[in-house]
Structure formats: structure tokens, C-alpha cells
Amino acid sequence: MSKNVTPYKDTERGKKEQVTSMFDAISGEYDGLNRVISFGIDVKWRKRVVRILRERSPETILDIATGTGDLAINLVETGASRIVGLDISKGMLEVGKKKVRQRELNDKVEMLVGDSEDLQFGENSFDAVTVAFGVRNFENLEKGLSEIYRVLKPKGTLVILETSVPTKTPFKQGYAFYTKYILPTIGKVFSKDRSAYRYLSESASVFPHGKAFNNILGEIGFIGMENRPQTFGVASIYIASK
């Protein structure tokens, strides 16, 4: 089980409520800051997720923790007839809905408010489920993954893009310095919610990655787990099937 890091230390609210408030607060600045923080490499990582699914030709895709909708919109390239972007933050979704309208994709991409740990869909509803930088925000990781398993069709594909921690020198040391000092400073300078970027850094550093995360997927019931480290190991793409 992963360590439950929360955005705000001076409140008794649960992680789910805190994360919702945090993303609502930073929704307007999130895309721009995300490009700065990742040096734009996150765009390339999402394209790799799209390529993985395009090879499997899913008809229906659920993008959990869709945020402002970047991955959901990119997933149109898979040829899927229905893509649902789900997020608990109404603020992030409003930004995403605007993007969908601007690209005239309302007939392909639907943006919905929802709880990843209590999905409003029936069993075996989707050919594929994706999560980009969202599973570490689950209040109960195992419950969220179990819900994904439930709504995924038999032989369906799960693809998760998430931060990880490099294990090789000098990338390990460089990553530690960046996440401890540089990332929070960027957030402090450019964000109205300083706690948000401290949380994003801290939650990334303690979240299980690589084999540890694959083991959790296996315990839930997923099979054929695969981990593809990205950019010296600062992120990973996990692929699994039901």
C-alpha cells in the first residue's frame, strides 16, 4: 500500500476532498505550469500511450483523472468511437470541456464528473482504461484500481502513465534535487496554491513504481503487466490486461 500523502497539512479533511480542492484551485494555470515543470516531455509520453492503444483498436475508452482533458483528446487518434474523460475536479473539467468544444470533438469525447473509487459505470463497460498522472492521487489506491478492473471488459487494456523515481546515477540524484528544490520553487513563484506543487512533488517521491506497482496490479487481478520507464525513469508507462 502506498503512503497517503495529502496536499494540505493543517486540515482534517480526507485526501479525496483535499485533492479536489487543490485541482479546482490550480485548474486555470495547470496546463502551462505542467509544460514548464516537465520541460514539455509529458506531451511525448501521452503520445506513446496513444500509440499503445491504437495498436489494440479499442471502441470505448475511459480516461480516469482526465484533468484538463489532454490525454482524452489525444485518444481520438486511436479511432475509438467513444471516449469518456472522468475527473473529480469540476474546475479541471471546465478547462477540458472548453478544449473539447474548440476542437469540435463533442461527438467523440465526453467529460464527466466522477469518483475514480466509485465509478458510475457498469461492469465490463470499456475496452480500455487510461490514467495519466492520476493514480497517486487516489485516496485508496487498491480500491481505485479494483474499480478500474470492474469496468474494464475481459481482455481489455489498462494503460497508466505515472511519475516514478530514477534508480541509476546520476539521474537519481538529479531527480531528487529537482523534486525537492526546483519544482516547489516553480510552484511557489507561479502558482497561487503553493501547497499544490509541494504535494505533487512529495506524492511522486513516495508512490510505488516499477515492480512494486506491477505487484499491486497483480494483486487486484490484472495480468500481463508491463512497465516501460520513460526519460531516464522519471515516469513510467504501465500496461496490463483483465
Side-chain angles (χ1 to χ4, degrees), residues 103-153:
R103 291 164 176 77
E104 299 181 348
L105 292 173
N106 287 304
D107 61 329
K108 293 272 189 181
V109 181
E110 183 181 9
M111 304 291 277
L112 297 177
V113 176
D115 184 347
S116 59
E117 297 167 41
D118 187 18
L119 296 172
Q120 62 261 53
F121 311 104
E123 294 182 9
N124 309 322
S125 294
F126 295 93
D127 297 306
V129 177
T130 58
V131 193
F133 306 114
V135 288
R136 77 178 191 274
N137 297 321
F138 290 0
E139 186 168 56
N140 185 316
L141 176 60
E142 287 77 8
K143 186 176 181 181
L145 293 174
S146 295
E147 275 291 271
I148 291 173
Y149 187 87
R150 181 181 67 80
V151 303
L152 194 61
K153 291 180 181 180

Side-chain angles (χ1 to χ4, degrees), residues 64 95 126 139 162 186 196 205 229 231 238:
I64 292 177
V95 178
F126 295 93
E139 186 168 56
E162 188 53 86
I186 293 172
S205 68
T231 316
Y238 301 92

Side-chain angles (χ1 to χ4, degrees), residues 91-106:
M92 296 286 274
L93 282 173
E94 285 306 311
V95 178
K97 288 177 181 178
K98 183 177 180 181
K99 292 181 185 178
V100 171
R101 288 194 301 269
Q102 289 174 338
R103 291 164 176 77
E104 299 181 348
L105 292 173
N106 287 304

Side-chain angles (χ1 to χ4, degrees), residues 21 28 32 80 83 95 130 209:
S21 297
I83 300 164
V95 178
T130 58
H209 58 92

Side-chain angles (χ1 to χ4, degrees), residues 43-87:
V43 174
K44 182 183 293 185
W45 297 336
R46 287 187 179 87
K47 288 181 178 179
R48 289 173 180 166
V49 171
V50 172
R51 283 202 298 270
I52 290 166
L53 282 182
R54 190 164 51 209
E55 295 172 358
R56 291 162 170 78
S57 302
E59 280 296 309
T60 55
I61 305 175
L62 173 63
D63 183 40
I64 292 177
T66 194
T68 62
D70 280 349
L71 181 55
I73 291 169
N74 291 159
L75 287 167
V76 170
E77 297 175 21
T78 65
S81 59
R82 184 191 181 209
I83 300 164
V84 177
L86 186 91
D87 204 279

